Amino acid sequence: MDLYNIDQEIEKYSKKLGVVIMAGGKGIRMQPYTKVFPKPLLPMGDDTVIDLIVSKFLSYKINNFYVTTNYKHEIINSHFKKYKTKINCRLIKENKQLGTAGSLSYLKNSKEDLFFVSNCDSVVSENYNDILKFHTNNKNDITIVASKKSVKFPYGVCLLNDKNKFTGFKEKPNYNFLLNTGLYVINRKELKLLKNNQKIDMDEFILRLKKKKKKIDV
């Protein structure tokens, strides 16, 4: 499918659209590998994870990037020098660990109105035009990109009533979930709810938006 024959929602917002890649974490779950390389520079096939993320957005002619860093900032900074003039990229170094959303506070006064925000280990193969169109058509304040996953248990499950009394079996049940992929579309004005240099994770930030009755869609 030719991306550029699609209704170009991204093209409408190109001058007001940015991409934020959150790359400040220590990658504790992937140690000992991340004691040498920061998580975004771990190999995935013939490339690094963060290069795959950047290439996905470049394929949609999105060329305005912010990369927030902390852990092993110097290595990530050196890595992005290879792009030189190929992309418009600004690295933002956190003064301290700010969680998975705190560094977005640096962008409260940026020129963009809309951001794709991506974890540094989220490679999402989806039509980004459709994601942005869903966000704008529904007039969302934030859109969470989720993945449908089914989990099938290979066993019979015991069923109990509200008094914990046995009522029967459910053989090899299948459960469906919507999993957070770590990719979002966020309006810049919502970043004003973030305090400067305050550590906060994305789930907490989204719940804060919900409390303020902002429009959140999945």
Side-chain angles (χ1 to χ4, degrees), residues 29-130:
R29 287 177 294 182
M30 302 196 75
Q31 289 180 354
Y33 308 108
T34 48
K35 285 188 177 291
V36 181
F37 292 104
K39 183 167 63 171
L41 298 189
L42 291 176
M44 190 171 181
D46 295 328
D47 232 325
T48 70
V49 179
I50 202 165
D51 286 326
L52 288 172
I53 294 169
V54 169
S55 66
K56 287 282 184 185
F57 286 104
L58 287 177
S59 71
Y60 286 85
K61 296 186 177 179
I62 304 173
N63 190 31
N64 189 28
F65 293 87
Y66 295 90
V67 181
T68 65
T69 66
N70 182 282
Y71 180 67
K72 296 189 180 293
H73 162 83
E74 293 78 11
I75 297 176
I76 298 172
N77 185 48
S78 178
H79 180 80
F80 269 87
K81 286 180 181 178
K82 75 174 187 178
Y83 285 105
K84 296 181 180 177
T85 57
K86 291 181 182 178
I87 65 172
N88 177 25
C89 182
R90 178 186 169 197
L91 265 68
I92 300 172
K93 185 180 180 182
E94 301 172 342
N95 295 323
K96 60 179 182 179
Q97 287 281 328
L98 295 177
T100 54
S103 58
L104 291 174
S105 63
Y106 290 113
L107 300 171
K108 288 191 286 190
N109 297 313
S110 63
K111 66 182 185 298
E112 294 84 7
D113 293 333
L114 274 171
F115 292 103
F116 276 99
V117 176
S118 174
N119 289 352
C120 67
D121 56 358
S122 298
V123 182
V124 177
S125 296
E126 188 48 79
N127 188 309
Y128 289 10
N129 267 308
D130 289 347

Side-chain angles (χ1 to χ4, degrees), residues 135 140-144 184-186 206 209 215-217:
H135 178 84
N140 294 341
D141 295 307
I142 180 169
T143 296
I144 304 165
Y184 314 87
V185 183
I186 302 177
I206 291 172
L209 292 172
K215 193 166 190 306
I216 302 167
D217 251 337

